[in-house]
Amino acid sequence: MSARPVNQRAWWLVLPVVLLVAFNAVIPLMTVVNYSVQETFGNNQFFFEGVKWYSEVMHSSRFHDALKRQLMFTGIILALEIPLGVAIALAMPRRGAWASACLVLMSMPLLIPWNVVGAMWNILALPDIGLLGWTLNHIGIDYNYTRQPLSAWATLIAMDVWHWTSLVALLAYAGLSAIPDAYYQAAKIDGASPWAVFRHVQLPKMRHVLTIAVLLRFMDSFMIYTEPMVLTGGGPGNSTTVLSIDLVKIALGQFDLGPAAAMSLIYFLIILLLSWVFYRVMTPAEEGA
Amino acid sequence: MARLRLEGVRHSYRAQPAQDADWALKDVDLEFEDGGAYALLGPSGCGKTTLLNLVSGLLHPTQGRVRFGDADVTELPTDRRNIAQVFQFPVVYDTMTVFDNLAFPLRNRGMAPDAVRSRVQEVAALLDLEGMLGQRAAGLTADGKQKISLGRGLARPDVNVLMLDEPLTVIDPHLKWRLRSKLKELHQRVALTMIYVTHDQTEAMTFADRVVVMHEGAVVQVGTPVDLFERPRHTFVGHFIGSPGMNVMPCQVDGGVARLGGRAVPTANRPDASLAGRRTDLGVRPEFVRFADDGIPVRVARVSDAGRHQIVEAHHGDQVIRLLLREGESVPAGAAHVAFDPAYTHLYADGWICEARA
Amino acid sequence: MRRAKALVPALYILFLMLPIYWLVAMSFKPTNEILGGFTLWPHRFTLDNYAKIFLDRTWYMGYVNSLAYVLLNTLLSVAAALPAAYAFSRYRFLGDKHLFFWLLSNRMAPPAVFALPFFQLYSAIGLFDTHLAVALAHCLFNVPLAVWILEGFMSGVPRELDEMAYVDGYSFGRFFLKIFVPAIAAGIGVAAFFCFMFSWVELLLAKTLTSVDAKPISAMMTRTASTSGYELGLLAAAGSLTIIPGAFVIYFVRNYIAKGFSLGRV
């Protein structure tokens, strides 16, 4: 692309966007930072407390537990959804009416409100009257997600896989569609096996979309709130209380402004840090298409 | 091995071809001699890439057979046909080194590591890639990558036909000639049949011993570059080859003689009785038109400078006639006349050259 | 081999459709049947659950409210993003790279972090419990997304088009509306689609910023679930209805989904 000219008046064009986003980002963030270094005993009186809240959060076992649960959840999700999504994209027809129908049907879970997703699986997994719950108990598995942490986790993961794998599959499919036929033709002429074609042609060419998929799934699974909240409420006990759920409990439930604010910032920073790590790992020095 | 033959090949991309326009290739019968250098020349959409893909096996012909020597290979898949193909843009395996790229087709066929290594070294030497064998293929320039594509084809000892589908498309203009010369040099050193598909006549004429000119799915003429130049079988070949192209002038045929504006014009071929009722044209290249004291009267409209010669555009009534002026020649002042060299002036009926010689 | 390969997407789609089927099936069952035991399909088919929703104002207003703020947000986000994306695509200016990155980084902010601050902020400016509040709040995530998508599409349009228009005497405004926007129509469609999607599905902020007047359907449903008497059939019907806008939207953009992927950013 030819070099773009410098033009400071372009700032007028970005002004609406800056205003909208800054209003929603800067003011709340300032509020949060403010709360995170202050203590209040009610009556709208605030006292500066320095890093007390940060220290408290970082040392709190409640926070550590929530973080551990979150990391485990995200780790399992990525390990399941990325390979599964790629496999589905590889198996889909590349063009024709079936491809279109497949894409449409696969997109459906992505457009269902998140609370409905939670409610759907809630109903589905009810031990005595839900399709999944009843079936599992009927074939001999003792399953009750409202009472057993393991069942709750399994259901939570199944729900997320159901909900989001399509995103990975759609992205991977887009990446695959962009590979020109000549590569497949040349590989045929070279006598390559299907596995070799995957390893040397498809996977390298999908690297860009896979990076996007991994980053998106990482970020979104790390921030997840609604679906687990509606499915299990964080329970049984707090076995499925992931970070967001814990944070909202502290902020909106207990109105513990200081700790909630400190935790918010730490939370945000963790995501930024891990996203950066993922990004660096997945994109070595770019040398051109 | 032996010669490559296409017999009665017709191809359509539609499931139920109904009319003429549905056929990408209309009845092709071609023979390629073993070890020859051929070019498939024609404008976009003429069917040359379709033809190429039929030979390589990437397409299965709707009708007709493909033979390598005595063997009918029409049903054989691509990797069993002993062909190699280079595509319009470089196809390399980004994650592998240059060495591994060249070795890839050999390893896939189970060649022993030592044999692979020596073979890759040979090919790399042929293509001046020796210094880069350890580098990642993704880091090379476009012409380097095309050489790798070439190399993968040359590396295989079982390859008999090398096909090139407009391989210079993405190469920088000042590097094209280098790769072109390399291809010619390769052909002389390696006993392969090479088929080069292009829409660029310079590429075709400089590379090939014999050129196959195609137009709208049919083969119009097969011949050496000189043949195509001096005796085009179809007015399309006259237009397409040469810059500027051949002059095509509607004429009348009367009493065994061609006439342009009433004046008799001697031709290399003889008009015969079958011409009655058909559209007749005279074809002569600007290279073979001269100013003369006596001949067809023209009015000089424009002279453009093309370096070593000048192109003169002259008008005879509504008819435009172009001729070339070499250095030292000049446009006559006042009334001008042109004459055509009879040895290179041909009569065409409905676009096709009349076969009878004068 | 080809048959076995076709099995993979087939099984996956079956897996996807099962919970949806279950939800819809349950919406047609009376509460007795639901709580009475397991039935694979409605044995006593009823439309009572749907009737309740269509006749109860608080219920159907939930849908209206949701659609209202979603459409409002989509409009706002795309309208603001268009000039900004143009600027990023065509010009360099002081701080442009940092600005772009800052915009994208908001996508990485957990909504949970903003729940309380948004509650206080929007209450303070008197927008609590309005459609506008939710529409504005969702801009935090949707505007950067829209800018990102549109910039990608715009970069695919050669600058020569702009230059030709100026030579022909178009003012910037006329050029943008009459020439440029049609050229990136597909991109606007994709951006609008994603904005609609993210706004329609989000619950936490939508619930936090509303109480009665602008209560979205998602809040209605969670309220129903938590009050005594888990009205499962009603819940299922409400949920099933929320799937419809999504299905509609996908149906309309199905051609773009099938072929537009390679056009855009990805």
Side-chain angles (χ1 to χ4, degrees), chain C residues 195-251:
Chain C
C195 286
F196 179 90
M197 188 182 133
F198 280 120
S199 190
W200 174 246
V201 300
E202 205 273 335
L203 169 84
L204 178 56
L205 293 179
K207 198 166 147 217
T208 309
L209 291 171
T210 59
S211 66
V212 177
D213 290 340
K215 199 184 192 73
I217 183 64
S218 42
M220 271 302 292
M221 287 179 63
T222 47
R223 194 203 70 167
T224 303
S226 56
T227 50
S228 61
Y230 225 126
E231 295 185 50
L232 285 174
L234 186 59
L235 208 62
S240 301
L241 287 175
T242 64
I243 300 184
I244 296 179
F248 235 40
V249 170
I250 303 180
Y251 182 73

Side-chain angles (χ1 to χ4, degrees), chain B residues 121-155:
Chain B
Q121 292 285 2
E122 258 183 74
V123 173
L126 263 179
L127 295 167
D128 304 324
L129 285 173
E130 280 151 309
M132 306 193 244
L133 282 174
Q135 283 180 29
R136 287 193 63 205
L140 266 61
T141 53
D143 60 312
K145 288 186 185 175
Q146 274 296 42
K147 284 206 231 169
I148 297 180
S149 291
L150 253 182
R152 283 204 315 271
L154 295 172

Side-chain angles (χ1 to χ4, degrees), chain B residues 19 97 104 207 218 234 243 338 352 356:
Chain B
Q19 48 192 340
T97 59
F104 189 62
F207 172 79
H234 192 280
S243 179
V338 293
W352 290 96

Side-chain angles (χ1 to χ4, degrees), chain B residues 15-296:
Chain B
Q16 318 276 0
Q19 48 192 340
D20 218 34
D22 294 340
W23 291 92
L25 277 183
K26 307 170 174 114
D27 221 359
V28 170
D29 276 287
L30 270 183
E31 218 170 83
F32 297 92
E33 295 285 337
D34 192 18
Y38 291 88
L40 288 183
L41 177 65
S44 302
C46 70
K48 47 193 199 295
T49 302
T50 308
L51 193 69
L52 201 73
N53 287 337
L54 285 171
V55 172
S56 62
L58 293 169
L59 278 179
H60 185 275
T62 314
Q63 284 174 27
R65 315 303 296 169
V66 179
R67 288 183 210 282
F68 279 33
D70 295 321
D72 183 337
V73 300
T74 318
E75 309 302 324
L76 278 187
T78 308
D79 50 329
R80 302 248 301 277
R81 283 201 196 189
N82 306 330
I83 54 100
Q85 190 161 337
V86 177
F87 297 89
Q88 270 182 354
F89 55 88
V91 172
V92 294
Y93 300 104
D94 289 324
T95 50
M96 304 198 260
T97 59
V98 175
F99 185 96
D100 288 329
N101 259 273
L102 296 174
F104 189 62
L106 301 174
R107 288 178 180 149
N108 285 335
R109 286 172 170 83
M111 205 186 248
D114 288 329
V116 169
R117 201 172 320 126
S118 71
R119 189 75 190 166
V120 169
Q121 292 285 2
E122 258 183 74
V123 173
L126 263 179
L127 295 167
D128 304 324
L129 285 173
E130 280 151 309
M132 306 193 244
L133 282 174
Q135 283 180 29
R136 287 193 63 205
L140 266 61
T141 53
D143 60 312
K145 288 186 185 175
Q146 274 296 42
K147 284 206 231 169
I148 297 180
S149 291
L150 253 182
R152 283 204 315 271
L154 295 172
R156 285 164 46 201
D158 61 312
V159 165
N160 291 295
V161 182
L162 178 63
M163 291 177 302
L164 305 121
D165 190 356
E166 313 212 40
L168 301 184
T169 307
V170 297
I171 311 291
D172 280 338
H174 66 279
L175 291 174
K176 277 199 218 237
W177 69 269
R178 233 193 357 193
L179 203 50
R180 248 205 332 253
S181 328
K182 194 57 153 168
L183 285 173
K184 192 88 180 142
E185 178 197 319
L186 274 174
H187 179 253
Q188 279 150 4
R189 286 168 72 171
V190 177
L192 281 182
T193 311
M194 286 171 80
I195 305 178
Y196 189 114
V197 167
T198 180
H199 60 270
D200 180 322
Q201 47 165 316
T202 321
E203 280 177 26
M205 308 283 259
T206 51
F207 172 79
D209 298 326
R210 291 176 74 77
V211 178
V212 176
V213 181
M214 294 184 67
H215 182 53
E216 288 179 353
V219 173
V220 174
Q221 184 167 0
V222 180
T224 63
V226 173
D227 280 344
L228 262 52
F229 193 80
E230 295 181 347
R231 196 166 182 274
R233 277 191 69 221
H234 192 280
T235 49
F236 168 74
V237 179
H239 279 308
F240 195 73
I241 295 188
S243 179
M246 183 168 80
N247 292 302
V248 177
M249 303 159 281
C251 65
Q252 298 80 42
V253 174
D254 162 32
V257 165
R259 291 186 181 277
L260 187 65
R263 305 182 73 88
V265 177
T267 55
N269 54 353
R270 187 164 23 102
D272 55 37
S274 64
L275 294 177
R278 294 163 77 188
R279 187 188 92 230
T280 48
D281 296 292
L282 269 178
V284 62
R285 289 198 180 277
E287 287 81 351
F288 304 118
V289 178
R290 286 251 184 295
F291 281 116
D293 297 322
D294 187 30
I296 297 161

